[in-house]
């Protein structure tokens, strides 16, 4: 079985003032999934409202929630692009067939 390595780091946090009270509005976590032959990565935005983060949250919690949210995003993804079948491949005639066809003319 191919080993999948998951890495993550907190890129930044954004505070917000609501009714004169400072809260943690969001944290951005960069998540990467890598195997020996494949790589997928991106940014996940955690919010106070959706993910329950706060100033009491720590880096470990941000990373754990970021990885969890990235996995769910990938698992729930649907292909939206229409399927377009490829045109059949037409092989060019072999060189010896061309010579035979040209001699008959």
């Amino acid at each position: 079985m191919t080993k999948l390595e998951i890495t993550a780091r907190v890129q930044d946090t954004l505070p917000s003032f609501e009714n004169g009270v400072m809260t943690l509005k969001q944290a951005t976590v960069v998540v990467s999934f890598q195997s020996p032959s494949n790589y997928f990565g991106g940014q996940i935005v955690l919010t106070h409202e959706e993910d329950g983060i706060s100033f009491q949250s720590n880096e470990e919690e941000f990373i754990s929630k970021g990885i969890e949210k990235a996995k769910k995003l990938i698992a729930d993804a649907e292909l939206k692009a229409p399927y377009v079948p490829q045109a059949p491949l037409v092989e060019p005639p072999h060189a010896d067939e061309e010579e035979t066809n040209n001699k008959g003319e």
Side-chain angles (χ1 to χ4, degrees):
M1 178 177 222
T2 303
K3 183 181 176 187
L4 180 66
E5 183 177 319
I6 303 172
T7 58
R9 65 179 173 80
V10 178
Q11 183 171 347
D12 63 59
T13 57
L14 178 66
S16 175
F17 288 95
E18 297 174 16
N19 298 325
V21 177
M22 188 165 81
T23 61
L24 182 59
K25 182 175 182 176
Q26 69 182 39
T28 303
V29 181
V30 177
V31 180
S32 302
F33 300 87
Q34 188 167 356
S35 71
S37 59
N38 294 297
Y39 172 83
F40 179 81
Q43 294 182 353
I44 296 296
V45 177
L46 303 174
T47 65
H48 173 73
E49 295 81 20
E50 287 182 18
D51 306 297
I53 61 170
S54 69
F55 281 120
Q56 285 75 38
S57 301
N58 59 32
E59 185 176 19
E60 186 177 321
E61 184 179 347
F62 292 152
I63 289 172
S64 177
K65 287 183 179 222
I67 291 170
E68 182 181 318
K69 194 169 185 176
K71 286 180 177 181
K72 182 169 178 12
L73 181 71
I74 294 166
D76 293 348
E78 293 182 25
L79 180 62
K80 295 292 183 182
Y83 172 73
V84 179
Q86 292 183 340
L89 295 176
V90 178
E91 291 189 35
H94 297 299
D96 58 333
E97 290 177 7
E98 279 187 32
E99 287 178 22
T100 305
N101 290 342
N102 289 339
K103 287 181 183 177
E105 292 178 5

